[in-house]
Amino acid sequence: EEAEEPELMKGVQEGKYHLIIARKHMVSSGKYRLLPLADDILCAVFPADKDLADKLCIPEKAESLKDFASIPLLLMNRYTPVFQLLMERFGEEGIKPRILRTARVESIISAVAVGEGASILPKSSLELFRHESIRILPLNPPINLPVVLAAKEKALPGEAAETFIGFLERGAE
C-alpha cells in the first residue's frame, strides 16, 4: 500500500503496517528495526534556460544551502520528511528561505522549468520525473537521504514479514 509519510508512520505505530519503506530520518532507530535499502541525496534544481535562471538571480554555481538564501524556492509539501529535513538544515545555517509554495515533485519540476523558482529535491525523484528544461546540481556538502525498511522494534511482524526481511538482508539472492 502506498501512503504519504504521516499516514505511514501512524500506520506502523498503530499496527496497521508491519513494515514500511521510509526515509531514515523519519524513523527513530531506537523504536524501529531498520534495514538500509538505498542511498539518496538532495540536489539543487534550476531552470536550464540561462535567462530564466538570471531572472531568479541564481548564481552560476549555486550548490550550498547558503546560496539559496535569496532564491525563491518551490519545495516538497510541508508534511514530507524532505521538507522537514531542509527546514532543519536551513535553521542550522541561520537561513530563512524564501518559500514561494510547496507542492508535489512533478509540479515543482514543471514550475522550475518555466522559471517560477528553484528547488531542492531528492535525486531519485529527479531521475523518475526527468525533464530536459531543468539543471540539476548536487549540494555541497551533500545532504544524504538514506531509504530504509522499518519495523517496530518490539512488534512481532509475522512469518511473511520476517521472510521478506531475511530476503532483503541476504541481498535478494
Side-chain angles (χ1 to χ4, degrees), residues 117-135:
S119 189
I120 301 171
L121 295 170
K123 183 178 181 182
S124 61
S125 297
L126 294 165
E127 290 168 350
L128 183 63
F129 297 104
R130 295 177 190 258
H131 200 296
E132 59 191 41
S133 298
I134 59 172
R135 184 168 49 112

Side-chain angles (χ1 to χ4, degrees), residues 16 34 38 51 56 61 67-69 72 74 76 82-83 93 96 105 116 122-123 126-127 129 145 152 156:
K16 177 179 179 183
L34 304 178
D51 291 337
L56 296 170
K61 294 277 263 177
D67 296 330
F68 288 90
L74 303 150
M76 291 179 73
V82 171
F83 180 90
E93 297 282 334
K96 180 151 176 47
V105 172
E116 286 185 37
K123 183 178 181 182
L126 294 165
E127 290 168 350
F129 297 104
L145 286 172
K152 215 168 167 186
L156 298 172

Side-chain angles (χ1 to χ4, degrees), residues 35-171:
L35 177 66
L37 294 179
D39 293 320
D40 200 358
I41 59 169
L42 287 176
C43 292
V45 186
F46 306 113
D49 182 285
K50 187 170 175 3
D51 291 337
L52 292 176
D54 288 347
K55 269 188 191 175
L56 296 170
C57 300
I58 297 172
E60 189 64 35
K61 294 277 263 177
E63 58 184 21
S64 80
L65 286 185
K66 290 183 182 187
D67 296 330
F68 288 90
S70 61
I71 298 172
L73 292 175
L74 303 150
L75 298 178
M76 291 179 73
N77 289 312
R78 293 179 185 278
Y79 61 79
T80 65
V82 171
F83 180 90
Q84 293 164 10
L85 177 63
L86 278 171
M87 291 306 100
E88 181 181 305
R89 294 294 175 91
F90 277 127
E92 289 169 2
E93 297 282 334
I95 299 166
K96 180 151 176 47
R98 277 184 54 202
I99 301 170
L100 290 180
R101 70 176 178 273
T102 61
R104 298 181 63 84
V105 172
E106 56 273 27
S107 299
I108 292 169
I109 291 171
S110 296
V112 169
V114 297
E116 286 185 37
S119 189
I120 301 171
L121 295 170
K123 183 178 181 182
S124 61
S125 297
L126 294 165
E127 290 168 350
L128 183 63
F129 297 104
R130 295 177 190 258
H131 200 296
E132 59 191 41
S133 298
I134 59 172
R135 184 168 49 112
I136 302 165
L137 293 172
L139 294 175
N140 187 15
I143 298 178
N144 296 313
L145 286 172
V147 177
V148 298
L149 180 75
K152 215 168 167 186
E153 187 67 62
K154 296 191 172 38
L156 298 172
E159 187 178 338
E162 287 297 339
T163 300
F164 182 64
I165 291 168
F167 175 75
L168 292 173
E169 287 175 331
R170 290 188 306 276

